[in-house]
Amino acid sequence: MKPMLTALALVLATPAAAQDEMTVMLDWFVNPDHGPIIIAQEMGYFAEADLAVEVIAPADPSDPPKMAAAGAVDLAISYQPQLHLQVAEGMPLVRVGTLVATPLNCLLVLDDGPVAQIADLEGRKVGFSVAGVEEALLSAMLGETGLGTDDIELVNVNWSLSPALMSGQVDAVIGAFRNFELNQMEIEKVAGRCFYPEEHGVPTYDELIYIANPKAMDAGMIQRFLGATEKATQYIVNHPQESWEVFAATSTELQDELNKKAWADTIPRFALRPEALDAGRYARFEDFLHQAKLIEGTRSVTALAVDLGTE
């Protein structure tokens, strides 16, 4: 056998390197917010990065940070505001990447309802689903008009935000995602309107982030994961219709009008550089929560978030 053919035969006979197995827990069931992860999986970008990624939906939305802190999953998706609270409580967590780089949360009202401006909430009912951060956001928004949470009635509507608003149970809801609840109301032929926290006294923040246990994480593997999702995001931005078709084909439950509208509205909000860290954003939000008396003292940005590319 000629030397070149011998070398080729040896290459062909060598088994392919095993892919690194990685577990990623979502914040909730699969939806358009998770587009880059699903597209990276379906387009083979994880495989190109020698990763075999298992994507897990939580049974309880409070599980992902706990699982990441315990090292039971390599990565979890969570929310920047919650990360500040959890680190302040002593949970071993750090932000390692960004999935959705703008707030999605909003204060949602009926477009033709009694609330034309935030000041009109005085004496009215406001629904919420998650205590703590949502109340802090609402308090800051009310504060711009001279109101406080004592001037309204807070109603826990669990996760039934837009139904509670449309049925008249409450006059507004905080915690609605602008890429979902607004579209859900439009489909129901009920016009809604959002007041955006970042335009009313709340520092802007990353809505969805990747978190891990800093002592247990494999930084190199996470970097490869983030590189694959960055490639997926570029594909989504360049090919919005084709990427929607790939995403929707993964489950019949995604193939409806709500998810299609949410897909289009979420694309501009995906982090184009998921590894990159805006340190000032984390410092400002830490100070905001301290001023709101939700945390004691403040932590350094390095205790909250890292840019693995500069480590």
Side-chain angles (χ1 to χ4, degrees):
M1 186 179 290
K2 294 182 180 179
M4 186 177 294
L5 294 177
T6 302
L8 178 60
L10 288 172
V11 169
L12 293 175
T14 302
Q19 293 178 329
D20 289 323
E21 296 182 355
M22 188 175 191
T23 51
V24 178
M25 178 166 276
L26 306 179
D27 57 306
W28 197 231
F29 55 83
V30 175
N31 63 70
D33 291 342
H34 309 127
I37 300 170
I38 304 305
I39 293 299
Q41 188 81 288
E42 295 300 306
M43 299 294 290
Y45 300 149
F46 287 144
E48 290 173 7
D50 290 326
L51 293 174
V53 178
E54 181 185 6
V55 178
I56 306 167
D60 183 317
S62 68
D63 286 345
K66 299 173 188 172
M67 296 289 281
V73 296
D74 296 298
L75 278 183
I77 295 176
S78 191
Y79 312 86
Q80 182 190 334
Q82 272 76 10
L83 173 69
H84 291 261
L85 299 180
Q86 289 156 352
V87 172
E89 291 168 358
M91 291 182 73
L93 294 170
V94 68
R95 171 267 180 211
V96 294
T98 304
L99 174 56
V100 173
T102 76
L104 294 176
N105 201 328
C106 78
L107 176 67
L108 181 63
V109 300
L110 296 175
D111 193 39
D112 60 355
V115 182
Q117 53 190 356
I118 294 177
D120 295 333
L121 287 173
E122 185 173 11
R124 298 188 181 277
K125 296 179 179 179
V126 180
F128 72 97
S129 58
V130 180
V133 170
E134 288 182 3
E135 292 176 55
L137 300 183
L138 180 60
S139 179
M141 298 173 78
L142 290 168
E144 279 207 328
T145 69
L147 298 177
T149 51
D150 289 341
D151 297 306
I152 62 170
E153 181 182 348
L154 284 166
V155 180
N156 190 335
V157 296
N158 294 313
W159 301 102
S160 186
L161 292 166
S162 52
L165 178 62
M166 289 188 287
S167 68
Q169 181 184 347
V170 294
D171 301 294
V173 291
I174 186 71
F177 270 17
R178 60 194 75 170
N179 56 338
F180 274 94
E181 269 77 13
L182 275 176
N183 285 314
Q184 184 177 17
M185 291 179 69
E186 181 184 337
I187 291 168
E188 297 290 336
K189 309 280 191 241
V190 179
R193 181 161 45 87
C194 267
F195 295 101
Y196 304 117
E198 67 273 22
E199 295 179 359
H200 294 280
V202 178
T204 194
Y205 57 89
D206 298 330
E207 189 70 57
L208 292 178
I209 57 174
Y210 299 105
I211 58 173
N213 182 318
K215 297 231 166 124
M217 70 183 184
D218 183 328
M221 189 166 67
I222 292 172
Q223 280 189 287
R224 282 184 281 147
F225 173 90
L226 294 173
T229 59
E230 179 174 334
K231 188 173 181 179
T233 302
Q234 291 168 351
Y235 179 79
I236 291 168
V237 171
N238 290 337
H239 307 280
Q241 180 58 33
E242 293 91 336
S243 58
W244 158 250
E245 291 170 1
V246 172
F247 176 80
T250 62
S251 170
T252 55
E253 294 178 355
L254 297 172
Q255 298 165 17
D256 60 19
E257 186 180 2
L258 175 57
N259 280 293
K260 188 171 185 178
K261 284 179 175 291
W263 181 264
D265 285 349
T266 311
I267 288 174
R269 302 182 180 279
F270 289 134
L272 296 175
R273 298 171 58 220
E275 193 174 286
L277 171 66
D278 183 339
R281 176 172 289 197
Y282 282 74
R284 288 187 293 271
F285 208 87
E286 180 79 355
D287 188 60
F288 166 72
L289 292 177
H290 174 60
Q291 295 298 326
K293 297 184 170 46
L294 283 177
I295 57 175
E296 291 185 10
T298 58
R299 276 132 293 278
S300 67
V301 172
T302 54
L304 298 162
V306 295
D307 182 335
L308 294 175
T310 63
E311 292 290 292

